[in-house]
Amino acid sequence: METTLRGVGVSHGVAIGEVRHMGTAVLEPPAKRIPAEEAEREQGRARQAVDAVAADLNARGHLAGGEAQAVLEAQALMAQDPELMADVDRRIAVGSSAERAVYDAFAAYRALLAGAGEYLAGRVADLDDVRNRIVARLLGVPMPGVPDSDEPYVLIARDLAPADTALLDPALVLGFVTEEGGPTSHSAILARALGVPAVVALPGAGELAEGTVIAVDGSTGEIFVEPSEAKRAEMESAAAARKAALSASTGPGATSDGHKVPLLANVGGPGDVPAAVEAGAEGVGLFRTEFLFLDDSKQAPSEEKQVAAYRAVLEAFPEGRVVVRVLDAGADKPLDFLTPADEPNPALGVRGLRTLLDHPDVLRTQLTALAKAADGLPVHLEVMAPMVADRADAKAFADACRAAGLQAKFGAMVEIPSAALRARSILQEVEFLSLGTNDLAQYTFAADRQVGAVSRLQDPWQPALLDLVALSADAAKAEGKSCGVCGEAAADPLLACVLTGLGVTSLSMGAASIPYVRATLAKHTLAQCERAAAAARATDSADEARLAAQAVLSGE
């Protein structure tokens, strides 16, 4: 009998297939004692296992490329954390086996992360994955991971670590469903980059029996268990119609009556550029430069290394617009040489622009490298600061850009509610705004973007969030300046129409979402988008806002 479940849709598309479950986590190793004379050998075993796992993560990252590479390289650094390894050595010295010492050391570190504020909860899944891989290697058992199968399937997991998500084979993994995670978790972002339909935060997903046929709608978040033939035909027909519409839609982003809405790509480095170009991106709306810094958390990359990486991206979009976000360090992206390790709540502490203003040499080097990278190129370079709170922040950033001799537009990200509320004041110092809806939602609703339990408050359809977008867009219009969206909200085709109706002037997203957004915008006039935006803001919940906008745009 067909039943319907609902999670959070995070990656467009439809998948119909049999359920396969993720390999189970490594069992807790026994707490056996070892003789003192074996301690040195056990310490060597632990180091070898850690190095092997780090090498494997780096190799997976190299194969995956793009944002996935940066995420996996950060995981490899986590595996080799000196403090963790020192704790492992200490535990072995007092009688623990290598596998038990690793298990207990990671458990202690896990508790520290969990107690350091909810913002770091997303790091716990990554830490657990690293621990499981090291312990599995020490025990000589298979690594936890994606199941072996010759037939395509829908993958079910409690959560997916970046190492697993990055190398999913879309020819075999039709889609995936997780019990945990949120719309802006690593697995969700990588799923969109892969173009794999995905639903997260589905309670009870692990209870779906192996081999059960399910239909996954990555747009609505609906899961149909044992779908009827009629339901299968309906979903397959809708998927075919969507595919045809995508193929027919080309060129710059615009509404049906010709209102231009440039569609840009979010990239983490040169590895993401080919997919962006293939999708028809009109430029880059968010170049996340922090991934370059995560290659070595002990020191900043040299100016020469930065110039090479920036120029590779700038050269890919001649005459196009490339918006670079300067280093956004802190909170879930800690760097040993920049961010304090003892902040009680890193998400509310020194992160983003605050970190850079505390380390002006790092900001100066990055801005100088950007100036050199753009020298002689016809690209339209724009540089923006993350986590701008007020006009003083915006002025400090603009002054630093001018001091570095940067010939570019300077902008501010709107991720803190105060920036949206005082957007017109901030625009006295900078030339454009870019809305990071992921963090803006997090700070507006006090809802950690990595925690599935509060995912309803991370929904970008929340009317309060739409109000803040409208405030920012209205301020930019009044000042004759631009206001784009580079958060994950822009990747939702229906919401893209609403954002356009709110006055947003450009949309930036993962490359895989660009065709969907382009095709949907092309079906509607600007006036329809404006009516849909007004209808959404007049509601009291995210679900009501989505339905109200849908009703307007479908002509109901």
Side-chain angles (χ1 to χ4, degrees):
M1 179 179 174
E2 179 182 308
T3 57
T4 304
L5 306 173
R6 184 161 192 146
V8 179
V10 296
S11 184
H12 305 299
V14 168
I16 302 174
E18 291 188 359
V19 163
R20 294 286 182 274
H21 285 270
M22 195 76 172
T24 55
V26 176
L27 294 175
E28 181 178 345
K32 67 178 183 179
R33 310 295 291 177
I34 62 164
E37 59 269 21
E38 292 184 19
E40 188 174 344
R41 181 180 68 85
E42 289 294 288
Q43 288 169 341
R45 285 182 64 225
R47 280 191 291 273
Q48 287 175 357
V50 165
D51 290 344
V53 166
D56 177 63
L57 290 168
N58 280 319
R60 286 168 176 257
H62 182 72
L63 286 172
E67 289 187 23
Q69 181 173 1
V71 171
L72 292 175
E73 287 174 350
Q75 258 196 306
L77 289 172
M78 182 186 290
Q80 295 176 305
D81 182 272
E83 289 188 17
L84 261 174
M85 285 311 301
D87 192 16
V88 170
D89 284 343
R90 283 193 297 270
R91 292 173 186 274
I92 293 173
V94 295
S96 285
S97 65
E99 46 265 49
R100 186 69 206 193
V102 167
Y103 187 90
D104 289 341
F106 272 75
Y109 192 36
R110 188 187 200 278
L112 284 175
L113 281 185
E118 285 191 351
Y119 194 90
L120 291 177
R123 304 282 292 180
V124 169
D126 292 359
L127 188 71
D128 287 347
D129 180 60
V130 172
R131 176 204 64 200
N132 290 347
R133 291 173 186 277
I134 297 171
V135 173
R137 186 171 289 274
L138 286 165
L139 290 174
V141 300
M143 292 284 181
V146 179
D148 290 329
S149 176
D150 295 329
E151 299 296 325
Y153 59 91
V154 177
L155 180 63
I156 305 292
R158 182 180 63 81
D159 200 356
L160 279 173
D164 297 313
T165 315
L167 294 184
L168 290 180
D169 181 356
L172 282 176
V173 181
L174 302 172
F176 69 74
V177 179
T178 67
E179 289 194 45
E180 299 183 1
T184 58
S185 62
H186 279 153
S187 55
I189 292 171
L190 294 178
R192 285 188 283 270
L194 288 167
V196 177
V199 172
V200 301
L202 179 71
E207 297 172 13
L208 292 168
E210 190 88 1
T212 302
V213 175
I214 64 172
V216 179
D217 189 326
S219 299
T220 66
E222 290 175 306
I223 306 292
F224 301 95
V225 182
E226 299 291 1
S228 64
E229 289 300 321
K231 174 58 70 175
R232 287 194 192 202
E234 175 190 329
M235 294 183 72
E236 288 169 348
S237 175
R242 183 180 293 169
K243 186 175 181 179
L246 294 179
S247 300
S249 178
T250 58
T255 58
S256 62
D257 55 343
H259 175 72
K260 295 186 184 304
V261 187
L263 303 181
L264 313 170
N266 294 343
V267 304
D272 292 335
V273 167
V277 172
E278 185 179 350
E282 297 167 60
V284 172
L286 174 61
F287 181 177
R288 300 183 177 99
T289 60
E290 62 268 18
F291 290 128
L292 181 63
F293 286 74
L294 288 171
D295 283 348
D296 182 356
S297 68
K298 304 297 182 187
Q299 61 182 359
S302 67
E303 182 180 301
E304 293 73 20
K305 183 176 181 179
Q306 291 189 55
V307 170
Y310 303 152
R311 195 169 181 90
V313 174
L314 296 175
E315 287 177 335
F317 295 95
E319 305 292 341
R321 177 186 178 201
V322 176
V323 183
V324 178
R325 180 176 69 190
V326 293
L327 176 62
D328 184 13
D332 67 336
K333 291 167 283 193
L335 293 171
D336 292 345
F337 67 96
L338 279 184
T339 51
D342 57 351
E343 281 193 293
N345 192 337
L348 300 179
V350 182
R351 66 165 293 199
L353 180 62
R354 299 168 188 174
T355 300
L356 292 174
L357 294 179
D358 278 355
H359 297 82
D361 53 325
V362 175
L363 177 58
R364 188 183 310 112
T365 299
Q366 184 170 25
L367 295 175
T368 302
L370 283 166
K372 291 182 177 179
D375 187 38
L377 296 180
V379 68
H380 300 287
L381 175 63
E382 301 184 15
V383 183
M384 62 186 181
M387 303 301 293
V388 170
D390 57 16
R391 182 172 179 173
D393 278 352
K395 183 179 187 305
F397 177 65
D399 288 346
C401 289
R402 283 187 283 268
L406 192 60
Q407 299 298 310
K409 285 187 176 182
F410 316 141
M413 290 198 70
V414 177
E415 301 165 285
I416 303 173
S418 63
L421 293 168
R422 301 289 294 171
R424 197 157 183 183
S425 171
I426 287 171
L427 283 165
Q428 304 310 304
E429 305 292 344
V430 295
E431 298 172 82
F432 69 93
L433 300 176
S434 184
L435 287 141
T437 51
N438 308 346
D439 270 323
L440 185 57
Q442 171 171 253
Y443 291 121
T444 298
F445 297 103
D448 191 315
R449 56 188 283 189
Q450 299 286 356
V451 177
V454 293
S455 61
R456 86 172 175 85
L457 295 172
Q458 265 292 327
D459 192 326
W461 281 94
Q462 286 283 358
L465 189 68
L466 299 181
D467 288 345
L468 292 176
V469 173
L471 276 175
S472 304
D474 287 346
K477 183 177 181 180
E479 295 295 328
K481 296 179 179 179
S482 63
C483 177
V485 169
C486 63
E488 294 300 315
D492 179 336
L494 185 64
L495 186 50
C497 293
V498 168
L499 295 173
T500 298
L502 291 174
V504 166
T505 55
S506 67
L507 300 166
S508 189
M509 64 209 75
S513 298
I514 291 176
Y516 291 93
V517 173
R518 181 192 294 119
T520 305
L521 274 175
K523 294 178 183 176
H524 306 290
T525 65
L526 176 59
Q528 286 176 312
C529 293
E530 290 171 341
R531 288 198 297 274
R537 289 183 68 193
T539 65
D540 294 313
S541 73
D543 287 342
E544 291 174 359
R546 187 182 290 106
L547 290 172
Q550 198 166 30
V552 171
L553 294 175
S554 63
E556 296 177 7

